[in-house]
Amino acid sequence: MLARANNGIGIHGVIENSSNICLYVARVFNDNGDGQFDSEVLKAVEWCADNQARVINLSLGSPTSGSDNTKAVYDEIEREGALVVSASGNSYDSNKNYPASFDSVISVAAVTPTGARAAFSTFNDQVNIAAPGESIKSTAPVQNLMDENGNMYDMHVMDFSQIPRSLQADLFDCGEGLDVTEFAGASKKICIAKRGGNTLAKKARFCSDAGGLALIVYNDVEGLFVGSLAFDGASVIPVVGISNDDGEALRSLLKITIAATIPGYFTTSGTSMAVPFVSGTAAAIWAARPGCNNTQVRQALFDSADLSSLSSDETLAHSFGHGLVNVQGAYNRLMQNPPPCGESLIGPSTTAGDNDAEDPIVLNLIIVDLNNTRKAKDDKGVSVGGGSWEAWSWVIGEP
């Protein structure tokens, strides 16, 4: 959302000029991803609201958190003026996840670069808007696998896995991980198992239930094991893949370190990746027009969302809500409100004697280029276009 732009490395976020936006980060769970979902998430959300956060990004959800008491908290936060944005879920079905499915929360679905609903993206009548959610590159700690002798190994963090943090522990060989008995003795150790014979989710659950800290799965064919937990359900411990040769070598060792270094970049998929596109858009346009309220910002997002570039072979209202988030369109729609929210487009004042002229507000325009034909100009007037999920600077009020 706030990745720094134009520094020659990595990516840049939806909010390029973040000097007038304050970011709060509220930690919800512990290092292993454990915690009481309802109470811990609510505690974090209320802390954000108490600290005057205007937009609250929740890249999380649970199908069992839709109680009336929980709903009342989110309803009250909306009445107090904040905007809560949450993930619709990665359930592959229409089951409702919370808090996204509360009316007071914006529910975000994920779309692919071709404009279709991502297969995992939960679809139901509570989905409000869609955003890119497949193969999204973001800032994250770089993950390295290192053995007791200091040798480094390539690894892939499985999609829908917990992102590993730095940890060092003894290695426990679980064979092929076919049943829970192979994980006996894995407590406070890092499990290693061969691919095949069981689903990744079951191997991860066996390791976790035995008290394991993380699971390494090595390939049963040549090459790095690149996989996903999406079809089986997200894990509560980190799950990473390595090559067959590296796995065979590691099985004879005693200790492994999974090290996290910053800065780094991580590519993954999920509605959790889609939510920041919407939260970032809301924060950017709201910072540009601080006289607006949460209802006006919410309506601007919905009224400007684009359905034309999305697949039409599904029930659109349930898959995409109002459509794909549109940064420039949302700002323009917000400007249609009467003062003090919306006014004329921001730009150097032409009023004689006015010494309070404002500089143009620089936002990011997310351009989805499905056929490599759409074009736009960046903030230096250079024509750009092509490739999906690219972001360019866009100066409000300029052609």
Side-chain angles (χ1 to χ4, degrees):
M1 187 193 305
L2 286 168
R4 187 172 299 167
N6 302 320
N7 59 0
I9 60 172
I11 59 169
H12 68 83
V14 177
I15 305 170
E16 178 177 342
N17 181 9
S18 58
S19 59
N20 59 344
I21 294 178
C22 180
L23 177 67
Y24 289 95
V25 178
R27 183 173 179 176
V28 177
F29 303 125
N30 63 22
D31 287 347
N32 295 323
D34 298 327
Q36 297 297 317
F37 186 91
D38 284 347
S39 60
E40 298 298 335
V41 172
L42 280 179
K43 188 186 302 181
V45 170
E46 290 180 308
W47 179 85
C48 290
D50 290 344
N51 282 278
Q52 310 304 311
R54 284 191 158 192
V55 180
I56 301 175
N57 184 101
L58 293 177
S59 289
L60 49 77
S62 169
T64 61
S65 300
S67 70
D68 289 342
N69 288 339
T70 303
K71 177 181 181 299
V73 173
Y74 286 99
D75 290 349
E76 180 60 25
I77 288 173
E78 182 192 40
R79 283 192 294 270
E80 290 176 352
L83 196 64
V84 181
V85 189
S86 186
S88 69
N90 304 313
S91 63
Y92 286 81
D93 56 30
S94 60
N95 292 334
K96 290 183 177 178
N97 290 283
Y98 299 92
S101 291
F102 292 135
D103 290 340
S104 54
V105 176
I106 294 178
S107 176
V108 183
V111 300
T112 71
T114 62
R117 176 180 62 85
F120 53 79
S121 185
T122 301
F123 53 95
N124 54 52
D125 57 5
Q126 288 297 124
V127 169
N128 298 123
I129 199 165
E134 187 171 272
S135 299
I136 303 299
K137 186 176 183 180
S138 184
T139 52
V142 171
Q143 310 299 332
N144 297 306
L145 195 63
M146 182 172 65
D147 66 23
E148 59 193 288
N149 300 314
N151 300 311
M152 306 295 291
Y153 301 85
D154 290 334
M155 74 177 193
H156 167 77
V157 180
M158 301 298 176
D159 287 351
F160 299 96
S161 161
Q162 291 290 323
I163 296 178
R165 296 174 174 84
S166 294
L167 63 92
Q168 184 182 68
D170 292 338
L171 201 61
F172 186 81
D173 188 354
C174 305
E176 292 188 3
L178 298 179
D179 58 59
V180 68
T181 61
E182 292 192 86
F183 293 83
S187 178
K188 298 183 180 180
K189 298 179 181 179
I190 297 174
C191 306
I192 183 168
K194 191 170 185 176
R195 178 186 181 187
N198 219 333
T199 67
L200 285 175
K202 284 185 178 180
K203 292 177 194 280
R205 188 170 65 252
F206 290 154
C207 179
S208 175
D209 289 348
L213 304 177
L215 171 64
I216 300 170
V217 182
Y218 62 96
N219 217 341
D220 57 354
V221 294
E222 187 176 351
L224 184 69
F225 180 24
V226 177
S228 173
L229 291 152
F231 290 96
D232 303 307
S235 66
V236 296
I237 58 172
V239 181
V240 303
I242 60 175
S243 70
N244 180 274
D245 289 345
D246 288 347
E248 293 293 347
L250 287 175
R251 289 178 63 185
S252 63
L253 299 175
L254 298 177
K255 194 175 291 292
I256 280 291
T257 298
I258 297 177
T261 57
I262 299 175
Y265 301 93
F266 180 77
T267 299
T268 190
S269 302
T271 51
S272 289
M273 280 67 253
V275 177
F277 282 97
V278 178
S279 298
T281 299
I285 66 174
W286 207 345
R289 307 308 302 164
C292 299
N293 60 44
N294 61 338
T295 300
Q296 291 168 318
V297 172
R298 179 187 181 112
Q299 201 59 48
L301 291 171
F302 294 171
D303 289 348
S304 62
D306 176 25
L307 277 173
S308 63
S309 61
L310 300 176
S311 171
S312 60
D313 60 354
E314 301 183 62
T315 306
L316 296 181
H318 288 184
S319 296
F320 309 122
H322 293 271
L324 186 68
V325 64
N326 181 334
V327 181
Q328 181 71 40
Y331 179 82
N332 290 343
R333 175 62 183 82
L334 198 62
M335 292 297 294
Q336 296 174 17
N337 288 292
C341 175
E343 296 174 337
S344 60
L345 287 175
I346 294 177
S349 173
T350 57
T351 304
D354 186 351
N355 295 320
D356 297 322
E358 298 179 79
D359 292 329
I361 299 296
V362 180
L363 305 179
N364 278 343
L365 176 65
I366 304 302
I367 299 177
V368 181
D369 188 348
L370 304 181
N371 302 305
N372 292 326
T373 56
R374 299 185 184 184
K375 299 294 180 182
K377 292 182 179 180
D378 67 11
D379 58 339
K380 296 180 178 60
V382 178
S383 181
V384 293
S388 296
W389 309 152
E390 297 295 331
W392 293 288
S393 302
W394 195 272
V395 181
I396 298 299
E398 294 189 0

